[in-house]
Amino acid sequence: MKNFLLLLLLIGSLHASAQQINTKLKQQLDSIMQVDQELRKLFTSIPQEEKEVILEKFGYTAKDLEQKGWEIVAKQDTIHIHRVKEIISSYGYPGKSLVGTPTNKAAWYVIQHSNQLEKFFPLIQKAGEEKEIPMTLVATMEDRILMYRGEEQKYGTQLKSGVINDPETGERKWQFYFWPIRSPEKVNALREQVGFERSIEEYAESMNVTYKKLKLEDVK
């Protein structure tokens, strides 16, 4: 009898959790996240056939991609940030308790790809503290804000490409590089603290980038 009652309580708890998920909003955000990620594949090294499938899906041609380039993504980003603002205005940040996972990352992606990071960062911080999104996302957005300000990042999440002073050779040359990190000797401890599973060195290897400890003067 005791086990039966526990089972009923568990079923009731799971049912209550399912009822809290806003399925209509979840579907909207899932669609937004899919489009956000799919259009960005056009600027990666995927086969041309895959690019053509994506372009056709969104009503573009290979010639459109050649002529408009990133404008295709930027146009969709503008639509997405407008919709995410409406959602936030109605619900607050649409986190795990409202739309489940991984949909709780959708609004974050849209904000991360916008020019309004600083405006929304307090909301992102709060969502992280309340466990509505992973703290790794909070750290990643914080790093991007610091990079855009021209300041050193904290967690080593942001990479760029360009002509820099190579600290090992003294040459100025084009390469992919990690934006300078504030405390390189502490970066792995900070990464672990917020939930990153890989060290900065392991992350660099996964991105096929050589990790170099750069200073701001090397990249300016």
Side-chain angles (χ1 to χ4, degrees), residues 88-131:
I88 288 172
S89 177
S90 298
Y91 300 97
Y93 184 87
K96 181 172 66 174
S97 61
L98 183 64
V99 294
T101 58
T103 313
N104 60 330
K105 299 179 182 179
W108 178 88
Y109 274 112
V110 173
I111 295 168
Q112 181 79 344
H113 293 150
S114 76
N115 60 358
Q116 301 182 46
L117 278 71
E118 300 225 25
K119 175 182 177 180
F120 287 104
F121 185 63
L123 184 72
I124 295 298
Q125 267 188 314
K126 185 171 181 287
E129 290 164 0
E130 294 176 350
K131 303 188 186 305

Side-chain angles (χ1 to χ4, degrees), residues 106-164:
W108 178 88
Y109 274 112
V110 173
I111 295 168
Q112 181 79 344
H113 293 150
S114 76
N115 60 358
Q116 301 182 46
L117 278 71
E118 300 225 25
K119 175 182 177 180
F120 287 104
F121 185 63
L123 184 72
I124 295 298
Q125 267 188 314
K126 185 171 181 287
E129 290 164 0
E130 294 176 350
K131 303 188 186 305
E132 293 293 337
I133 57 171
M135 283 301 296
T136 51
L137 297 186
V138 181
T140 301
M141 186 171 290
E142 183 176 1
D143 271 357
R144 182 162 290 191
I145 289 170
L146 290 169
M147 182 179 71
Y148 285 171
R149 288 177 183 169
E151 301 175 19
E152 297 158 312
Q153 61 175 322
K154 290 171 62 177
Y155 303 97
T157 65
Q158 301 300 298
L159 290 86
K160 291 196 74 176
S161 63
V163 178
I164 64 167

Side-chain angles (χ1 to χ4, degrees), residues 8-201:
L8 285 176
L9 286 170
L10 177 60
I11 292 171
S13 175
L14 291 172
H15 181 65
S17 296
Q19 284 183 319
Q20 290 171 7
I21 299 297
N22 186 321
T23 53
K24 185 177 179 181
L25 183 59
K26 175 180 171 59
Q27 289 170 355
Q28 289 180 34
L29 286 166
D30 282 339
S31 177
I32 285 172
M33 183 159 59
Q34 181 183 358
V35 172
D36 177 276
Q37 297 298 292
E38 205 165 17
L39 284 176
R40 281 170 166 76
K41 289 181 183 178
L42 294 171
F43 300 91
T44 66
S45 57
I46 62 171
Q48 183 62 29
E49 296 78 12
E50 288 185 42
K51 290 185 180 182
E52 288 174 4
V53 170
I54 294 170
L55 286 166
E56 185 178 356
K57 181 178 177 180
F58 292 99
Y60 293 106
T61 64
K63 187 175 181 180
D64 289 329
L65 180 60
E66 184 181 340
Q67 293 179 341
K68 298 179 181 179
W70 196 257
E71 287 179 28
I72 293 172
V73 178
K75 180 180 178 181
Q76 199 63 49
D77 283 352
T78 300
I79 295 169
H80 286 168
I81 192 65
H82 179 71
R83 178 60 187 133
V84 163
K85 282 180 179 179
E86 292 176 340
I87 291 169
I88 288 172
S89 177
S90 298
Y91 300 97
Y93 184 87
K96 181 172 66 174
S97 61
L98 183 64
V99 294
T101 58
T103 313
N104 60 330
K105 299 179 182 179
W108 178 88
Y109 274 112
V110 173
I111 295 168
Q112 181 79 344
H113 293 150
S114 76
N115 60 358
Q116 301 182 46
L117 278 71
E118 300 225 25
K119 175 182 177 180
F120 287 104
F121 185 63
L123 184 72
I124 295 298
Q125 267 188 314
K126 185 171 181 287
E129 290 164 0
E130 294 176 350
K131 303 188 186 305
E132 293 293 337
I133 57 171
M135 283 301 296
T136 51
L137 297 186
V138 181
T140 301
M141 186 171 290
E142 183 176 1
D143 271 357
R144 182 162 290 191
I145 289 170
L146 290 169
M147 182 179 71
Y148 285 171
R149 288 177 183 169
E151 301 175 19
E152 297 158 312
Q153 61 175 322
K154 290 171 62 177
Y155 303 97
T157 65
Q158 301 300 298
L159 290 86
K160 291 196 74 176
S161 63
V163 178
I164 64 167
N165 288 323
D166 191 309
E168 295 175 5
T169 65
E171 294 181 82
R172 280 188 63 76
K173 60 182 181 180
W174 185 95
Q175 57 186 279
F176 282 100
Y177 61 91
F178 278 82
W179 184 257
I181 297 169
R182 185 177 299 169
S183 302
E185 71 284 358
K186 297 179 182 177
V187 68
N188 283 331
L190 288 170
R191 287 175 67 85
E192 185 177 354
Q193 184 179 323
V194 295
F196 286 108
E197 296 180 354
R198 291 181 291 194
S199 67
I200 188 74
E201 293 81 9

